[in-house]
Amino acid sequence: MREIKDAAIALKNGFLVAFPTETVYGLGADATNSYAVSRIFSIKNRPTNHPLILHIGEIEDLLQWAIEIPDYAFSLAKKYWPGPMTLILKRSNKVKDFVTGSQDTVGIRIPNHEIALSLLNEFKIIGSGAIVAPSANKFGKVSPTNFEHVHEELSKDLSNDDLILNGGQSQIGLESTIIDCTKDLPSVLRPGAISTELINEVIELDLSALPNQIRVSGSFKSHYAPNAKVVLDQTAEAGDGFIALSYVPTPAGAIRLNSPSNVEEFAKYIYADLRKADELKLKRVVVIQPEGSGLAVALRDRLKKASSQ
Ligand code: TXA
Ligand code: MG
């Protein structure tokens, strides 16, 4: 596809390419180009000590960008890549300080999206093959899960040579699971669609590990937040936005923003629903959280962060 070849060329020339993944859209740059990477930080208003995730196209590429990779990390990669899982590994000397915020570790993932994978393939032919990409939103705000969100939020900050690729709605809708693979046993730094149950199918998790030992910007208390105040599991009043599974009735006078029929659908559209609340200039959104394990854990994690201001 011409558009993808052009996007790879744009990356090679030091421009930015926002692209779809199965989790959320990313704002991408050549991982080896310090100027391009610095533009990501300034466009997002992101503090430079918040490291970026490196996206690669194939498992064998891992060996270029990470060292001392434990066997269990390879097992996880073989089972869940391409997919919504980021592995934190010791970085190789090809990964520069401007990517990791000077930490000696790097987050790496292979996204499971046709457009992202073709872009990574093309970029491997003509360039470094590694694309660093945070979610394509302003720091602290709601991640974009479709082309229109990225366009609305970032187009005024992008130049004519930067691109936004359209891949429709992201299938999963929540950011990848981040797994620290720098110790004898792995631990989860950010929950996502690769749940602890799925990780345990491959390797036992270290449950004693303290979360947030490494800097994870998503682990800031207030994050993923719309302008509207997000309130969890409380009674909605007239004029409030309201999001809950379809079996939960809408309280009188509340404005129903979505009625997902299961947790997958809830997660897939939650960021779009929160954006809807802002478009409607609502002051409050009440969300009735789904119970249970798996993806519901990740969804509740993001809702908790969206609700703390
Ligand atoms: O699903 C995703 O992961 C999306 C798509 C675009 O791939 N990306 C994403 O990137 O969510 P971002 O920058 O919004 O969140 C990446 C998180 C940040 O919280 C960052 O601090 C953490 O990953 N991270 C990156 N490198 C790390 C490292 N070496 N150690 C610990 N955390 C790291
Ligand atoms: Mg983000």
Side-chain angles (χ1 to χ4, degrees):
M1 205 167 108
R2 185 71 244 164
E3 204 191 2
I4 291 183
K5 284 209 162 67
D6 288 345
I9 293 168
L11 288 171
K12 171 74 183 160
N13 290 337
F15 296 105
L16 304 185
V17 175
F19 61 96
T21 84
E22 80 281 34
T23 58
V24 301
Y25 276 64
L27 178 61
D30 176 356
T32 64
N33 185 320
S34 67
Y35 176 69
V37 174
S38 74
R39 280 190 63 220
I40 290 184
F41 285 94
S42 60
I43 288 175
K44 278 186 64 97
N45 299 323
R46 176 171 170 128
T48 49
N49 58 1
H50 286 278
L52 301 176
I53 294 176
L54 202 111
H55 298 71
I56 56 174
E58 288 168 296
I59 291 186
E60 64 188 44
D61 300 344
L62 255 188
L63 303 171
Q64 286 184 55
W65 305 98
I67 54 169
E68 297 168 30
I69 304 167
D71 287 344
Y72 71 75
F74 278 114
S75 307
L76 286 167
K78 281 189 197 130
K79 179 124 188 191
Y80 296 121
W81 276 351
M85 175 182 77
T86 296
L87 302 181
I88 305 296
L89 297 161
K90 214 136 167 225
R91 66 168 163 173
S92 79
N93 55 20
K94 276 183 79 168
V95 183
K96 303 300 178 198
D97 283 350
F98 56 78
V99 167
T100 70
S102 304
Q103 299 189 68
D104 61 359
T105 57
V106 59
I108 303 185
R109 94 172 180 106
I110 304 182
N112 187 17
H113 191 291
E114 215 187 312
I115 293 177
L117 289 170
S118 328
L119 177 64
L120 284 159
N121 265 334
E122 289 294 336
F123 188 52
K124 195 173 164 181
I125 298 168
I126 62 166
S128 74
I131 304 175
V132 283
S135 50
N137 54 279
K138 299 280 183 184
F139 186 66
K141 291 296 174 186
V142 176
S143 296
T145 52
N146 64 40
F147 171 84
E148 289 74 22
H149 295 167
V150 181
H151 189 77
E152 279 158 27
E153 189 149 342
L154 296 183
S155 58
K156 61 182 178 314
D157 300 303
L158 297 176
S159 81
N160 286 335
D161 296 301
D162 302 321
L163 289 170
I164 308 175
L165 299 177
N166 190 347
Q169 168 70 37
S170 294
Q171 272 308 311
I172 291 174
L174 298 180
E175 303 79 359
S176 61
T177 307
I178 300 183
I179 307 174
D180 180 2
C181 297
T182 61
K183 315 242 167 59
D184 291 343
L185 288 176
S187 56
V188 174
L189 302 179
R190 178 176 73 181
I194 301 300
S195 60
T196 53
E197 292 83 356
L198 290 173
I199 297 168
N200 275 322
E201 284 179 22
V202 177
I203 169 84
E204 167 199 355
L205 274 167
D206 183 358
L207 298 173
S208 72
L210 291 170
N212 310 343
Q213 279 170 323
I214 313 183
R215 243 182 264 126
V216 183
S217 67
S219 66
F220 262 67
K221 245 186 112 207
S222 173
H223 215 83
Y224 313 106
N227 297 323
K229 186 173 165 56
V230 178
V231 175
L232 303 180
D233 302 324
Q234 288 182 31
T235 315
E237 285 158 24
D240 285 345
F242 189 72
I243 307 168
L245 283 166
S246 53
Y247 72 82
V248 184
T250 311
I255 300 151
R256 188 90 186 207
L257 297 171
N258 204 355
S259 307
S261 46
N262 53 47
V263 173
E264 285 69 30
E265 210 182 302
F266 208 134
K268 183 172 174 180
Y269 294 110
I270 186 64
Y271 289 144
D273 298 339
L274 294 176
R275 279 171 190 266
K276 238 188 271 171
D278 283 349
E279 267 162 43
L280 297 172
K281 305 212 159 40
L282 301 182
K283 293 218 171 59
R284 290 199 339 155
V285 192
V286 173
V287 185
I288 308 299
Q289 304 186 90
E291 293 175 353
S293 56
L295 188 61
V297 174
L299 179 56
R300 290 194 301 267
D301 169 76
R302 302 310 189 281
L303 287 170
K304 188 169 170 207
K305 278 159 191 153
S307 71
S308 46
Q309 297 186 336

